[in-house]
Amino acid sequence: MTTSTAPLAAPTAVPGTEKPRTSKRQRGMERSTLLTVLLWLCAGYFVLPLFWLLIASTKDNADLFSTFGLWFGNRFALWENLVSVFTVRNGLFLQWVLNTVLYAGLSAVGASVLATTAGYAFAKYRFPGDKLLFSINLGAIMIPLTALALPTYLLFNSAGLTNTPWAVILPSLVSPFGVYLMRVYAADAISDSLIQAARVDGAGEFRIFWQVGFRLLGPGVVTVFLFALVATWNNYFLPLIMLNSSSLYPLTVGLAQQQAASAAGGGAQALFSTVITGSLVSIVPLIIAFLVLQRYWQAGLTTGGVKE
Amino acid sequence: MKKASTTAAAMAVLAGITGYMITGCSPAGSTTPAKDAAPVAREEFDKAMQTPTKLTFWTWLPDVDQEVALFEKKYPQIDVTVENVGQGGEHYQKVRTALKSGEGAPDVIQVEYQYISSFNLTDSLLDLRRYGADDIKDDYVGWAWNQVSDDKGVWAIPQDVGPMGNLYRKDLMEKAGLTKAPATYQEYADAAKAVKEKTGAYISNLPTNDPAQVVGLLWQAGVKPFGYDGDKTVSIDVNSAKAKEVLGYWQDLIQKDLVSVDADFNDQYYQGLASDKYAGWLTAAWAPIFLQGTAADTAGKWNAAPLPQWEAGQNVSGNWGGSSDAVLKTTKNPIAAAELAKFINHDDESTAMFANKQFLFPAAKSVLEDPAFTGKKVDFFGGQEVNKLFAGIADTVDTDFQWLPFTDFAYSSFNEKVGTVIGAKGDLGAALDAWQADLEGYAKDQGFTVK
């Protein structure tokens, strides 16, 4: 839960810190030095691996194992590595990218729609068993997807769905955390009087949800979307056990397989730099998704704040 | 082909768990009783090979499509789908899962020698004798054939092997005043001291996570740690006097800080190979190519030699790694599947391709005796004919080495009981005792009789 409130609360904190700039300048400075140092440390901690990835993907195999990890090697081989990423095994990497986009995209859209409808219903309707169902949902948050992967496999196997895209997409549509988040968000963002007003105006329940509720829930939906997108994009274990065909793999499993092939001993292909560059390429779409969606995310939050 | 799934040690444990869970919940795969039927007749064979057939082949060997294409060219009616479902532990886990679930199992699988008996335990492999495997027996080095067959049948066709030798940094050795590779382990220990003093490098590394290498070294010393009768009886003798002598030798070098104890096949290890941290590696025939990929900058500085010997004048080696191709009993097209396993590992063009394009070290004599293969001068090793050397070593591997039908467990147990002690530079004799006890306990739990 804390993971969700932190990003939601962060933008409101920013304008808050700006205010005392004129009056309590001295105290503000003091606090910010300490904070700045801490934040820089944090930023360094989180950015360092990324920086390493960026640097390492410009190296060939020889430089990778013989030069300092956090600075460029003797040769700048980024372009070669990129070419190798997209040509090795007849360009299977591109297929993996497309698979990942498909799995993560469908799962994220599906998960946000399902979580929004469910969250809205939990927040705004009273029905028999709502408390119980919601408690079950809360409990489900505690169970990691990895622990469910095996039972899910057995289920899908009896349904004959293993080794199909559905085996990855269907389980990823379920997002108990998303439901919880949307319930909390919907409870605050949509006032009961608004719904009442819509009812008086003669709108049906579905229309109220779709034309009134869903609009107001925008930022929450984007949050759930991003969570589901990242979760599916980075999911390794589920596709690993579900899929058997290289052409169906997402990036995570595909890259891991290439990495394993590099360390294979006999018959090995030294694909280390290819794997590393592939990893870099594989996170670029995620970064873009975040940068693009962040605007909606923050914009939505500030409008919500004003209304309050 | 690969050094046994070291990085996948955790995976192997997982594989075991998954295997059991799935066993519990799914209908058992169909296992038809093995019949010692007459060999497949010529007409039957021709008919099968001319019927449009789809085969699935699970292997992690890169670019194996090339060899499969040769097969499809010869038998245009057979359509083979090659799938890489993972490597080592993951691969076996998936095969077992598919067998248990009774659905989606491939026809032909790649299997490392040490895992063949695990699949025989579940009666999953097709006896290839009916399909002409016995006729090609003499075309492979004898010990490799012994690895894929027993008195009950022939279970796979050898694809590649890993006879062990000593790859060393000629330049560092020379700096330490050594002009040739140590012939005996006594000389090797002296060399280790000289190299460490003069260059600061370790003469080699004994990894904490690589049971396959240690087992290969035991194999060389004539230790017979494992045995399996194909039914319910196993013999476990990992703490024999000879085994303790071998590991005692390494313990001494480790405690004198002459041999390092890094985990292998990870970035740090590759850095050690590329820098001057290690002056050598007691490794297998697939390693010369592997080194060229990871330590490219040290090209020309390496040399290859046979392993040091325990007795002067001896000439024996062990094996580390290597693979074979087996046919699963569940296949609907046994004739075509068996022919695929045989063809890619027997056809001259195909085996030459494995050796010269994918750089597998061949098990087939035709390649081992082919001057085009053995005569190749390798620049990375200063122009040395490395293949010729290892082809010679391939003949010196002890022919009678066996495995347990639960290699996954034996290896993960090794890492826990022996590997950690290697890392701690502790008493390896006691570690072998602990490994022995762990293996015996497990075998009994699983209903085996321990001999």
Side-chain angles (χ1 to χ4, degrees), chain B residues 107-149:
Chain B
D107 301 284
V108 183
I109 58 165
Q110 175 179 359
V111 54
E112 289 158 281
Y113 298 113
Q114 65 269 32
Y115 288 93
I116 290 177
S117 55
S118 320
F119 282 100
N120 269 337
L121 181 66
T122 51
D123 199 21
S124 305
L125 302 183
L126 187 72
D127 180 3
L128 299 175
R129 281 180 304 185
R130 243 199 109 203
Y131 307 92
D134 267 343
D135 305 342
I136 58 173
K137 176 181 177 184
D138 295 327
D139 299 338
Y140 299 90
V141 284
W143 62 270
W145 193 261
N146 286 355
Q147 290 279 304
V148 298
S149 61

Short mmCIF file of all heavy atoms in Angstrom, two decimals, chain B residues 107-149:
data_model
loop_
_atom_site.label_atom_id
_atom_site.label_comp_id
_atom_site.label_asym_id
_atom_site.label_seq_id
_atom_site.Cartn_x
_atom_site.Cartn_y
_atom_site.Cartn_z
N ASP B 107 9.47 -34.98 -29.52
CA ASP B 107 9.83 -36.33 -29.94
C ASP B 107 11.29 -36.63 -29.59
O ASP B 107 11.62 -37.72 -29.15
CB ASP B 107 9.63 -36.47 -31.45
CG ASP B 107 8.20 -36.19 -31.85
OD1 ASP B 107 7.36 -37.07 -31.61
OD2 ASP B 107 7.92 -35.09 -32.34
N VAL B 108 12.14 -35.63 -29.82
CA VAL B 108 13.57 -35.82 -29.59
C VAL B 108 14.04 -34.74 -28.63
O VAL B 108 13.61 -33.58 -28.73
CB VAL B 108 14.36 -35.72 -30.92
CG1 VAL B 108 15.84 -35.99 -30.69
CG2 VAL B 108 13.79 -36.69 -31.94
N ILE B 109 14.89 -35.10 -27.66
CA ILE B 109 15.43 -34.09 -26.74
C ILE B 109 16.94 -34.21 -26.67
O ILE B 109 17.51 -35.28 -26.83
CB ILE B 109 14.86 -34.24 -25.30
CG1 ILE B 109 15.16 -35.63 -24.73
CG2 ILE B 109 13.38 -33.96 -25.27
CD1 ILE B 109 14.98 -35.73 -23.24
N GLN B 110 17.54 -33.05 -26.40
CA GLN B 110 18.95 -33.05 -26.05
C GLN B 110 19.03 -33.44 -24.57
O GLN B 110 18.23 -33.00 -23.75
CB GLN B 110 19.52 -31.65 -26.25
CG GLN B 110 20.96 -31.52 -25.79
CD GLN B 110 21.51 -30.11 -26.03
OE1 GLN B 110 20.82 -29.25 -26.56
NE2 GLN B 110 22.74 -29.89 -25.64
N VAL B 111 19.99 -34.28 -24.22
CA VAL B 111 20.14 -34.64 -22.82
C VAL B 111 21.63 -34.85 -22.51
O VAL B 111 22.35 -35.46 -23.31
CB VAL B 111 19.28 -35.88 -22.46
CG1 VAL B 111 19.56 -37.04 -23.39
CG2 VAL B 111 19.47 -36.31 -21.03
N GLU B 112 22.08 -34.26 -21.41
CA GLU B 112 23.47 -34.45 -21.02
C GLU B 112 23.63 -35.85 -20.46
O GLU B 112 22.70 -36.40 -19.89
CB GLU B 112 23.86 -33.40 -19.98
CG GLU B 112 23.96 -32.01 -20.56
CD GLU B 112 23.82 -30.95 -19.49
OE1 GLU B 112 22.68 -30.68 -19.08
OE2 GLU B 112 24.84 -30.40 -19.06
N TYR B 113 24.84 -36.38 -20.58
CA TYR B 113 25.07 -37.78 -20.20
C TYR B 113 24.62 -38.07 -18.78
O TYR B 113 24.03 -39.10 -18.49
CB TYR B 113 26.55 -38.12 -20.37
CG TYR B 113 27.02 -37.99 -21.79
CD1 TYR B 113 27.93 -37.02 -22.16
CD2 TYR B 113 26.50 -38.83 -22.78
CE1 TYR B 113 28.34 -36.89 -23.48
CE2 TYR B 113 26.90 -38.70 -24.10
CZ TYR B 113 27.82 -37.73 -24.44
OH TYR B 113 28.21 -37.59 -25.74
N GLN B 114 24.88 -37.14 -17.88
CA GLN B 114 24.61 -37.42 -16.47
C GLN B 114 23.12 -37.42 -16.15
O GLN B 114 22.73 -37.74 -15.05
CB GLN B 114 25.38 -36.46 -15.57
CG GLN B 114 24.96 -35.01 -15.68
CD GLN B 114 25.78 -34.25 -16.72
OE1 GLN B 114 26.20 -34.80 -17.71
NE2 GLN B 114 25.97 -32.96 -16.49
N TYR B 115 22.28 -37.02 -17.13
CA TYR B 115 20.85 -37.00 -16.86
C TYR B 115 20.10 -38.16 -17.52
O TYR B 115 18.91 -38.31 -17.35
CB TYR B 115 20.24 -35.67 -17.32
CG TYR B 115 20.63 -34.53 -16.42
CD1 TYR B 115 21.74 -33.75 -16.70
CD2 TYR B 115 19.90 -34.27 -15.26
CE1 TYR B 115 22.12 -32.73 -15.86
CE2 TYR B 115 20.28 -33.24 -14.42
CZ TYR B 115 21.39 -32.48 -14.72
OH TYR B 115 21.76 -31.47 -13.88
N ILE B 116 20.82 -38.96 -18.32
CA ILE B 116 20.14 -40.05 -19.04
C ILE B 116 19.48 -41.01 -18.06
O ILE B 116 18.32 -41.38 -18.21
CB ILE B 116 21.13 -40.78 -19.96
CG1 ILE B 116 21.52 -39.85 -21.11
CG2 ILE B 116 20.52 -42.06 -20.50
CD1 ILE B 116 22.55 -40.43 -22.05
N SER B 117 20.21 -41.37 -17.00
CA SER B 117 19.63 -42.34 -16.07
C SER B 117 18.43 -41.76 -15.32
O SER B 117 17.53 -42.48 -14.93
CB SER B 117 20.68 -42.87 -15.11
OG SER B 117 21.29 -41.81 -14.43
N SER B 118 18.40 -40.41 -15.13
CA SER B 118 17.23 -39.82 -14.49
C SER B 118 15.99 -40.06 -15.34
O SER B 118 14.90 -40.28 -14.82
CB SER B 118 17.40 -38.31 -14.30
OG SER B 118 18.69 -38.00 -13.91
N PHE B 119 16.18 -40.00 -16.66
CA PHE B 119 15.02 -40.21 -17.53
C PHE B 119 14.70 -41.70 -17.68
O PHE B 119 13.55 -42.06 -17.93
CB PHE B 119 15.25 -39.56 -18.90
CG PHE B 119 15.04 -38.08 -18.86
CD1 PHE B 119 16.10 -37.21 -18.79
CD2 PHE B 119 13.76 -37.56 -18.86
CE1 PHE B 119 15.90 -35.84 -18.72
CE2 PHE B 119 13.54 -36.19 -18.80
CZ PHE B 119 14.61 -35.33 -18.72
N ASN B 120 15.71 -42.53 -17.51
CA ASN B 120 15.43 -43.96 -17.54
C ASN B 120 14.67 -44.40 -16.30
O ASN B 120 13.89 -45.35 -16.33
CB ASN B 120 16.73 -44.75 -17.65
CG ASN B 120 17.08 -45.00 -19.10
OD1 ASN B 120 16.20 -44.97 -19.96
ND2 ASN B 120 18.35 -45.23 -19.37
N LEU B 121 14.92 -43.69 -15.21
CA LEU B 121 14.23 -44.00 -13.96
C LEU B 121 12.72 -43.90 -14.16
O LEU B 121 11.94 -44.68 -13.62
CB LEU B 121 14.69 -43.03 -12.88
CG LEU B 121 14.10 -43.19 -11.50
CD1 LEU B 121 14.56 -44.50 -10.90
CD2 LEU B 121 14.53 -42.04 -10.61
N THR B 122 12.30 -42.92 -14.94
CA THR B 122 10.87 -42.75 -15.21
C THR B 122 10.46 -43.48 -16.48
O THR B 122 9.35 -43.29 -16.97
CB THR B 122 10.53 -41.26 -15.35
OG1 THR B 122 11.44 -40.67 -16.28
CG2 THR B 122 10.66 -40.54 -14.02
N ASP B 123 11.39 -44.28 -17.03
CA ASP B 123 11.08 -45.08 -18.20
C ASP B 123 10.61 -44.21 -19.36
O ASP B 123 9.63 -44.52 -20.03
CB ASP B 123 9.99 -46.12 -17.84
CG ASP B 123 9.96 -47.25 -18.86
OD1 ASP B 123 10.97 -47.44 -19.55
OD2 ASP B 123 8.92 -47.92 -18.98
N SER B 124 11.31 -43.10 -19.57
CA SER B 124 10.83 -42.12 -20.55
C SER B 124 11.54 -42.20 -21.89
O SER B 124 11.09 -41.60 -22.86
CB SER B 124 11.03 -40.71 -20.00
OG SER B 124 10.42 -40.58 -18.76
N LEU B 125 12.66 -42.92 -21.94
CA LEU B 125 13.43 -42.91 -23.19
C LEU B 125 13.18 -44.17 -24.00
O LEU B 125 12.99 -45.27 -23.48
CB LEU B 125 14.93 -42.78 -22.88
CG LEU B 125 15.35 -41.55 -22.09
CD1 LEU B 125 16.86 -41.52 -21.93
CD2 LEU B 125 14.86 -40.28 -22.76
N LEU B 126 13.22 -43.98 -25.32
CA LEU B 126 13.00 -45.08 -26.24
C LEU B 126 14.32 -45.83 -26.45
O LEU B 126 15.36 -45.21 -26.68
CB LEU B 126 12.51 -44.50 -27.58
CG LEU B 126 12.06 -45.48 -28.65
CD1 LEU B 126 10.72 -46.10 -28.25
CD2 LEU B 126 11.93 -44.78 -29.98
N ASP B 127 14.25 -47.15 -26.37
CA ASP B 127 15.43 -47.95 -26.66
C ASP B 127 15.69 -47.90 -28.16
O ASP B 127 14.84 -48.30 -28.97
CB ASP B 127 15.19 -49.39 -26.20
CG ASP B 127 16.39 -50.28 -26.48
OD1 ASP B 127 17.41 -49.75 -26.97
OD2 ASP B 127 16.31 -51.49 -26.20
N LEU B 128 16.86 -47.40 -28.54
CA LEU B 128 17.12 -47.15 -29.95
C LEU B 128 17.67 -48.37 -30.69
O LEU B 128 17.96 -48.29 -31.88
CB LEU B 128 18.08 -45.96 -30.10
CG LEU B 128 17.56 -44.64 -29.54
CD1 LEU B 128 18.64 -43.56 -29.61
CD2 LEU B 128 16.32 -44.18 -30.30
N ARG B 129 17.84 -49.49 -29.98
CA ARG B 129 18.43 -50.65 -30.65
C ARG B 129 17.58 -51.12 -31.83
O ARG B 129 18.10 -51.51 -32.87
CB ARG B 129 18.62 -51.79 -29.65
CG ARG B 129 19.84 -51.60 -28.78
CD ARG B 129 20.01 -52.73 -27.82
NE ARG B 129 18.81 -52.90 -27.02
CZ ARG B 129 18.70 -53.76 -26.02
NH1 ARG B 129 19.71 -54.54 -25.71
NH2 ARG B 129 17.58 -53.85 -25.32
N ARG B 130 16.28 -51.07 -31.64
CA ARG B 130 15.38 -51.49 -32.72
C ARG B 130 15.57 -50.63 -33.96
O ARG B 130 15.21 -51.01 -35.06
CB ARG B 130 13.93 -51.33 -32.24
CG ARG B 130 13.17 -52.61 -32.14
CD ARG B 130 11.68 -52.32 -32.13
NE ARG B 130 11.07 -52.72 -33.36
CZ ARG B 130 9.91 -52.23 -33.83
NH1 ARG B 130 9.29 -51.30 -33.15
NH2 ARG B 130 9.41 -52.66 -34.95
N TYR B 131 16.08 -49.43 -33.76
CA TYR B 131 16.16 -48.48 -34.86
C TYR B 131 17.58 -48.35 -35.40
O TYR B 131 17.99 -47.34 -35.92
CB TYR B 131 15.59 -47.13 -34.41
CG TYR B 131 14.21 -47.31 -33.83
CD1 TYR B 131 14.02 -47.52 -32.47
CD2 TYR B 131 13.10 -47.35 -34.67
CE1 TYR B 131 12.76 -47.74 -31.95
CE2 TYR B 131 11.83 -47.57 -34.16
CZ TYR B 131 11.67 -47.76 -32.80
OH TYR B 131 10.42 -48.00 -32.29
N GLY B 132 18.34 -49.40 -35.19
CA GLY B 132 19.65 -49.46 -35.84
C GLY B 132 20.77 -48.78 -35.07
O GLY B 132 21.84 -48.52 -35.63
N ALA B 133 20.55 -48.48 -33.77
CA ALA B 133 21.60 -47.78 -33.03
C ALA B 133 22.83 -48.66 -32.84
O ALA B 133 23.96 -48.17 -32.85
CB ALA B 133 21.07 -47.32 -31.68
N ASP B 134 22.61 -49.96 -32.67
CA ASP B 134 23.75 -50.85 -32.43
C ASP B 134 24.73 -50.86 -33.61
O ASP B 134 25.93 -51.05 -33.42
CB ASP B 134 23.26 -52.29 -32.16
CG ASP B 134 23.10 -52.52 -30.66
OD1 ASP B 134 23.66 -51.72 -29.88
OD2 ASP B 134 22.41 -53.49 -30.29
N ASP B 135 24.20 -50.66 -34.81
CA ASP B 135 25.05 -50.72 -36.00
C ASP B 135 26.09 -49.61 -36.02
O ASP B 135 27.11 -49.72 -36.69
CB ASP B 135 24.21 -50.60 -37.28
CG ASP B 135 23.11 -51.65 -37.32
OD1 ASP B 135 23.23 -52.62 -36.55
OD2 ASP B 135 22.14 -51.48 -38.08
N ILE B 136 25.80 -48.50 -35.33
CA ILE B 136 26.73 -47.37 -35.42
C ILE B 136 27.59 -47.24 -34.16
O ILE B 136 28.34 -46.30 -34.00
CB ILE B 136 25.97 -46.05 -35.69
CG1 ILE B 136 24.94 -45.79 -34.59
CG2 ILE B 136 25.30 -46.08 -37.04
CD1 ILE B 136 24.29 -44.43 -34.71
N LYS B 137 27.44 -48.22 -33.28
CA LYS B 137 28.15 -48.22 -32.01
C LYS B 137 29.64 -47.91 -32.14
O LYS B 137 30.20 -47.10 -31.40
CB LYS B 137 27.95 -49.61 -31.39
CG LYS B 137 28.69 -49.83 -30.12
CD LYS B 137 28.43 -51.24 -29.62
CE LYS B 137 29.26 -51.42 -28.37
NZ LYS B 137 29.19 -52.74 -27.81
N ASP B 138 30.28 -48.54 -33.13
CA ASP B 138 31.73 -48.42 -33.24
C ASP B 138 32.18 -47.12 -33.89
O ASP B 138 33.37 -46.89 -34.05
CB ASP B 138 32.30 -49.61 -34.02
CG ASP B 138 32.06 -50.91 -33.26
OD1 ASP B 138 32.08 -50.86 -32.01
OD2 ASP B 138 31.84 -51.95 -33.91
N ASP B 139 31.23 -46.30 -34.26
CA ASP B 139 31.60 -45.03 -34.89
C ASP B 139 31.84 -43.92 -33.86
O ASP B 139 32.13 -42.79 -34.23
CB ASP B 139 30.50 -44.59 -35.87
CG ASP B 139 30.33 -45.62 -36.98
OD1 ASP B 139 31.28 -46.38 -37.22
OD2 ASP B 139 29.25 -45.67 -37.59
N TYR B 140 31.67 -44.24 -32.58
CA TYR B 140 31.87 -43.24 -31.52
C TYR B 140 32.97 -43.69 -30.56
O TYR B 140 33.21 -44.89 -30.42
CB TYR B 140 30.56 -43.01 -30.75
CG TYR B 140 29.46 -42.51 -31.63
CD1 TYR B 140 28.61 -43.39 -32.29
CD2 TYR B 140 29.29 -41.14 -31.86
CE1 TYR B 140 27.62 -42.92 -33.13
CE2 TYR B 140 28.31 -40.67 -32.70
CZ TYR B 140 27.47 -41.57 -33.34
OH TYR B 140 26.49 -41.10 -34.18
N VAL B 141 33.58 -42.73 -29.88
CA VAL B 141 34.58 -43.13 -28.90
C VAL B 141 33.89 -43.99 -27.84
O VAL B 141 32.77 -43.70 -27.42
CB VAL B 141 35.27 -41.91 -28.24
CG1 VAL B 141 36.28 -41.31 -29.19
CG2 VAL B 141 34.28 -40.87 -27.79
N GLY B 142 34.60 -45.04 -27.43
CA GLY B 142 33.97 -46.09 -26.63
C GLY B 142 33.31 -45.60 -25.36
O GLY B 142 32.18 -45.97 -25.05
N TRP B 143 33.98 -44.72 -24.61
CA TRP B 143 33.41 -44.32 -23.32
C TRP B 143 32.16 -43.49 -23.52
O TRP B 143 31.24 -43.52 -22.70
CB TRP B 143 34.44 -43.59 -22.48
CG TRP B 143 34.93 -42.32 -23.08
CD1 TRP B 143 36.00 -42.17 -23.91
CD2 TRP B 143 34.36 -41.03 -22.93
NE1 TRP B 143 36.12 -40.87 -24.27
CE2 TRP B 143 35.14 -40.14 -23.69
CE3 TRP B 143 33.26 -40.54 -22.22
CZ2 TRP B 143 34.85 -38.78 -23.76
CZ3 TRP B 143 32.99 -39.19 -22.29
CH2 TRP B 143 33.77 -38.32 -23.05
N ALA B 144 32.11 -42.72 -24.64
CA ALA B 144 30.91 -41.93 -24.90
C ALA B 144 29.73 -42.86 -25.17
O ALA B 144 28.61 -42.62 -24.72
CB ALA B 144 31.12 -41.00 -26.09
N TRP B 145 30.00 -43.95 -25.90
CA TRP B 145 28.93 -44.90 -26.16
C TRP B 145 28.47 -45.56 -24.86
O TRP B 145 27.28 -45.78 -24.65
CB TRP B 145 29.38 -45.95 -27.19
CG TRP B 145 28.20 -46.74 -27.69
CD1 TRP B 145 27.79 -47.96 -27.27
CD2 TRP B 145 27.24 -46.30 -28.66
NE1 TRP B 145 26.64 -48.33 -27.92
CE2 TRP B 145 26.28 -47.32 -28.78
CE3 TRP B 145 27.10 -45.14 -29.43
CZ2 TRP B 145 25.19 -47.22 -29.65
CZ3 TRP B 145 26.02 -45.04 -30.29
CH2 TRP B 145 25.07 -46.08 -30.39
N ASN B 146 29.43 -45.85 -23.99
CA ASN B 146 29.04 -46.42 -22.69
C ASN B 146 28.16 -45.47 -21.90
O ASN B 146 27.35 -45.91 -21.08
CB ASN B 146 30.29 -46.73 -21.86
CG ASN B 146 31.01 -47.95 -22.39
OD1 ASN B 146 30.51 -48.62 -23.31
ND2 ASN B 146 32.18 -48.25 -21.84
N GLN B 147 28.34 -44.18 -22.12
CA GLN B 147 27.52 -43.22 -21.39
C GLN B 147 26.06 -43.26 -21.83
O GLN B 147 25.17 -42.95 -21.06
CB GLN B 147 28.07 -41.80 -21.60
CG GLN B 147 29.40 -41.54 -20.93
CD GLN B 147 29.24 -41.23 -19.45
OE1 GLN B 147 28.53 -40.33 -19.08
NE2 GLN B 147 29.89 -42.01 -18.62
N VAL B 148 25.82 -43.61 -23.09
CA VAL B 148 24.44 -43.57 -23.59
C VAL B 148 23.78 -44.94 -23.61
O VAL B 148 22.62 -45.05 -23.99
CB VAL B 148 24.37 -42.96 -25.01
CG1 VAL B 148 24.86 -41.52 -25.01
CG2 VAL B 148 25.14 -43.79 -26.02
N SER B 149 24.52 -45.98 -23.24
CA SER B 149 23.92 -47.30 -23.33
C SER B 149 24.23 -48.11 -22.08
O SER B 149 25.16 -47.81 -21.34
CB SER B 149 24.47 -48.04 -24.56
OG SER B 149 25.86 -48.19 -24.44
#
